[in-house]
């Protein structure tokens, strides 16, 4: 299933993140794609807030991974060069145990679970667009005000 959303401002982006958080279950994997500055980390911050994360959510670009509480792991694979480096992060130990958000997931595509939820952020005119894709039946129910 595939669904597109126009994110005309930060409020719409926040609403989308919080709406999606209602459907996510512990153990789900969310792959976040899009150019630098397209809203991946902003989405993650708002998504985590909706899940009740109390810590400050920031980009893991330099440290590769942040863990928030017992439930959420946020990865950024931008600085990695090979699938082997992705394996060294221990993804296989995280799959199914924690909600996993992965920015720049292309190196991990072959090892991501079949039910991974894909979000592709892009710029369109003066605002952003996000495409939500996955095999979850609830995708049709996702909407933003």
């Amino acid at each position: 299933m595939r669904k597109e959303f126009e994110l005309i401002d930060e409020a719409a982006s926040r609403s989308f993140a919080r709406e999606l958080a209602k459907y996510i279950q512990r153990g789900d994997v969310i792959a976040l794609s899009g150019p630098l500055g397209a809203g991946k980390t902003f989405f993650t911050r708002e998504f985590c807030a909706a899940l009740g994360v109390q810590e400050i959510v920031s980009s893991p670009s330099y440290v590769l991974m942040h863990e928030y509480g017992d439930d959420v792991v946020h990865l950024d694979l931008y600085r990695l060069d090979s699938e082997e480096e992705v394996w060294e992060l221990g993804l296989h130990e995280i799959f199914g145990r924690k909600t996993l958000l992965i920015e720049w997931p292309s190196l991990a595509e072959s090892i991501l679970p079949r039910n991974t939820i894909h979000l592709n952020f892009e710029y369109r005119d003066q605002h952003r667009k996000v495409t939500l894709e996955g095999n979850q039946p609830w995708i049709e129910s996702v909407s933003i005000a």
Side-chain angles (χ1 to χ4, degrees), residues 86-104:
V86 175
W87 277 107
E88 289 172 4
L89 290 174
L91 285 186
H92 60 284
E93 296 175 10
I94 300 170
F95 290 149
R97 292 183 41 238
K98 298 182 180 201
T99 301
L100 179 59
L101 295 107
I102 305 173
E103 294 190 38
W104 303 97

Side-chain angles (χ1 to χ4, degrees), residues 15-126:
S15 179
F16 173 72
R18 291 175 181 251
E19 173 72 5
L20 191 60
K22 295 176 187 176
Y23 295 93
I24 299 302
Q25 297 180 12
R26 185 179 188 153
D28 284 345
V29 176
I30 303 171
L32 306 164
S33 300
L36 287 170
K40 297 178 297 291
T41 300
F42 182 84
F43 166 84
T44 300
R45 185 177 303 122
E46 297 300 323
F47 177 84
C48 286
L51 293 180
V53 169
Q54 299 294 313
E55 295 98 330
I56 295 172
V57 175
S58 61
S59 174
S61 291
Y62 295 100
V63 295
L64 302 180
M65 182 185 320
H66 287 301
E67 291 193 54
Y68 301 111
D70 293 330
D71 298 328
V72 180
V73 174
H74 181 199
L75 293 173
D76 187 322
L77 307 182
Y78 184 75
R79 298 191 180 284
L80 300 184
D81 294 318
S82 69
E83 188 177 293
E84 182 178 309
E85 289 179 303
V86 175
W87 277 107
E88 289 172 4
L89 290 174
L91 285 186
H92 60 284
E93 296 175 10
I94 300 170
F95 290 149
R97 292 183 41 238
K98 298 182 180 201
T99 301
L100 179 59
L101 295 107
I102 305 173
E103 294 190 38
W104 303 97
S106 60
L107 281 178
E109 284 298 328
S110 68
I111 61 175
L112 293 178
R114 195 173 55 83
N115 63 342
T116 296
I117 299 152
H118 294 269
L119 296 179
N120 186 51
F121 292 84
E122 59 185 276
Y123 296 111
R124 180 179 281 171
D125 300 321
Q126 299 296 320

